[in-house]
């Protein structure tokens, strides 16, 4: 559907409008009573979440590509049905195919409390089948209010058990990487990047980022708080349906290998991600579903 067809069917006056975004990719502009948000139908990708009177909670790279076949850099990439590189075939797309597909709009809704919701869907098709030979029906439910509530649900519509990994890979906008710390991870063990051995439980109450980090915390279900005193804000990251939390920043060297992030761009974001990976890859039986959620808010 083009934007005028989307508007004819799903616009809500003053609260939901579809426009052609960068790269001509359709974007839903959402205005709730307490916040604005932008969602690209390409990837079911939240690009922006701005509570009233605040700077954007999410970081979007000024060098992001907006091109079919390439992931958008920043916001909330939807990683599905695997997290990171494919387990056996490095030719398959990093973090799965969901962020490279255009999703359909299923429904838009304005609630009496002022929240606004959009539901997007992705079903198996010839491209997904070439990468992952299963029938599935995935929904992204994005509700914008004082909080941003994002849920990815996958129903197994095939006749065999499917194994599903993934992530809601949120990029948070920060004043500077040197200014922030992250709490909620104390006592948790993690894999550092692709290391096979696990760390000792984290001793520190808060994590400060002073070098490249790619920590994959196992058995972690608590909230994280990103404190950014320079911007006078704390961002709470809650989640459901996930036992792995990833904290990632490429820092000053690895960033130079990434064409879609400016060389100083690593200072401007931190990723805190709700993940299904490792022992938390989910078996979904035929007809059953699994939902992975993250809720982002300021306090
Ligand atoms: O979640 C962390 C991570 O898996 C890192 O290993 C890092 O490469 C990052 O995601 C970004 O991946 P991308 O495919 O979007 O470049």
């Amino acid at each position: 559907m083009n934007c005028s067809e989307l508007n004819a069917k799903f616009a809500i006056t003053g609260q939901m409008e579809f426009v052609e975004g960068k790269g001509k990719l359709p974007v839903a502009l959402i205005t709730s009573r307490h916040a604005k948000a932008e969602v690209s139908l390409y990837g079911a990708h939240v690009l922006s979440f701005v509570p009233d009177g605040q700077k954007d909670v999410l970081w979007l790279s000024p060098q992001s590509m907006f091109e079919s076949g390439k992931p958008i850099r920043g916001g909330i990439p939807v990683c599905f049905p695997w997290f990171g590189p494919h387990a056996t075939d490095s030719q398959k797309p990093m973090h799965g195919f969901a962020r490279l597909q255009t999703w359909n709009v299923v429904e838009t809704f304005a609630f009496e409390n002022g929240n606004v919701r959009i539901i997007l869907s992705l079903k198996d098709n010839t491209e997904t089948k070439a990468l992952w030979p299963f029938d599935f029906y995935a929904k992204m439910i994005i509700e914008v209010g004082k909080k941003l509530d994002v849920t990815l649900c996958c129903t197994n519509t095939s006749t065999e058990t499917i194994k599903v990994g993934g992530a809601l890979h949120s990029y948070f906008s920060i004043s500077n990487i040197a200014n922030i710390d992250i709490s909620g991870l104390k006592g948790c063990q993690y894999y550092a990047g692709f290391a096979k051995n696990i760390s000792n439980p984290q001793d520190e109450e808060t994590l400060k980022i002073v070098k490249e980090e790619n920590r994959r915390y196992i058995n972690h279900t608590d909230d994280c708080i990103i404190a950014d005193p320079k911007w006078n804000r704390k961002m709470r990251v809650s989640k459901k349906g996930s036992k792995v939390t990833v904290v990632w920043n490429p820092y000053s060297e690895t960033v130079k290998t990434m064409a879609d992030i400016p060389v100083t761009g690593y200072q401007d974001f931190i990723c805190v991600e709700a993940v299904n990976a490792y022992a938390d890859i989910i078996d979904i039986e035929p007809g059953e579903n699994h939902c992975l959620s993250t809720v982002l808010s300021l306090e």
Side-chain angles (χ1 to χ4, degrees):
M1 270 192 217
N2 62 31
C3 286
S4 45
E5 290 164 334
L6 286 165
N7 279 318
K9 208 160 169 202
F10 297 111
I12 306 172
T13 308
Q15 292 180 296
M16 174 87 59
E17 185 193 359
F18 295 86
V19 298
E20 229 175 48
K22 289 187 181 154
K24 302 206 164 157
L25 302 174
V27 171
L29 304 181
I30 303 171
T31 306
S32 74
R33 192 171 297 156
H34 299 292
K36 288 188 179 359
E38 297 184 11
V39 177
S40 175
L41 273 45
Y42 178 67
H45 197 128
V46 183
L47 303 173
S48 160
F49 170 56
V50 187
D52 288 350
Q54 288 287 337
K55 294 180 173 58
D56 209 320
V57 170
L58 298 172
W59 180 81
L60 184 63
S61 174
Q63 283 177 207
S64 177
M65 287 170 264
F66 290 89
E67 205 181 305
S68 208
K70 304 267 168 61
I72 296 170
R73 175 71 65 193
I76 311 182
V78 177
C79 307
F80 172 89
W82 58 86
F83 175 76
H86 186 270
T88 55
D89 185 349
S90 61
Q91 298 304 306
K92 291 189 177 175
M94 174 87 170
H95 290 316
F97 49 72
R99 61 181 181 165
L100 307 174
Q101 291 274 318
T102 298
W103 292 52
N104 290 312
V105 181
V106 177
E107 194 185 337
T108 55
F109 198 78
F111 292 89
E112 261 178 32
N113 68 1
N115 288 3
V116 180
R117 177 188 279 184
I118 185 167
I119 302 180
L120 305 171
S121 72
L122 180 69
K123 195 183 142 12
D124 54 274
N125 57 51
T126 46
E127 284 174 32
T128 69
K129 280 277 179 80
L131 296 163
W132 197 62
F134 303 106
D135 295 345
F136 69 94
Y137 179 73
K139 272 210 266 190
M140 268 290 280
I141 304 155
I142 299 162
E143 187 168 322
V144 182
K146 275 191 181 144
K147 301 178 177 187
L148 176 70
D149 192 330
V150 180
T151 299
L152 169 67
C153 286
C154 172
T155 302
N156 180 358
T157 51
S158 63
T159 51
E160 56 197 302
T161 307
I162 59 176
K163 284 190 182 298
V164 171
L168 297 168
H169 193 306
S170 308
Y171 287 71
F172 293 90
S173 181
I174 53 178
S175 60
N176 191 289
I177 196 72
N179 298 336
I180 62 137
D181 63 47
I182 306 165
S183 52
L185 298 163
K186 187 179 180 188
C188 251
Q189 291 180 283
Y190 59 89
Y191 293 100
F194 297 97
K196 291 272 178 284
N197 53 324
I198 199 158
S199 73
N200 291 325
Q202 179 176 307
D203 272 342
E204 301 81 21
E205 195 67 47
T206 60
L207 173 66
K208 282 198 73 74
I209 309 292
V210 293
K211 59 179 177 52
E212 177 170 355
E213 293 290 0
N214 191 353
R215 296 189 179 202
R216 290 110 186 274
Y217 290 88
I218 305 302
N219 293 324
H220 180 262
T221 53
D222 289 347
D223 290 4
C224 285
I225 306 264
I226 306 165
D228 189 348
K230 180 91 186 285
W231 278 359
N232 199 22
R233 68 183 190 178
K234 288 184 176 171
M235 294 179 279
R236 179 177 290 273
V237 191
S238 311
K239 60 175 190 162
K240 279 193 205 139
S242 152
K243 294 193 185 117
V244 176
T245 298
V246 173
V247 174
W248 176 65
N249 182 286
Y251 224 69
S252 50
E253 284 309 306
T254 298
V255 75
K256 293 179 191 159
T257 67
M258 308 182 81
D260 56 0
I261 307 184
V263 285
T264 56
Y266 75 92
Q267 297 173 357
D268 301 333
F269 74 87
I270 182 71
C271 288
V272 179
E273 310 161 30
V275 178
N276 291 131
Y278 300 98
D280 191 33
I281 291 175
I282 312 291
D283 279 341
I284 312 179
E285 300 302 327
E288 300 294 312
N289 68 16
H290 169 69
C291 296
L292 167 67
S293 306
T294 191
V295 179
L296 316 182
S297 57
L298 291 179
E299 42 193 59

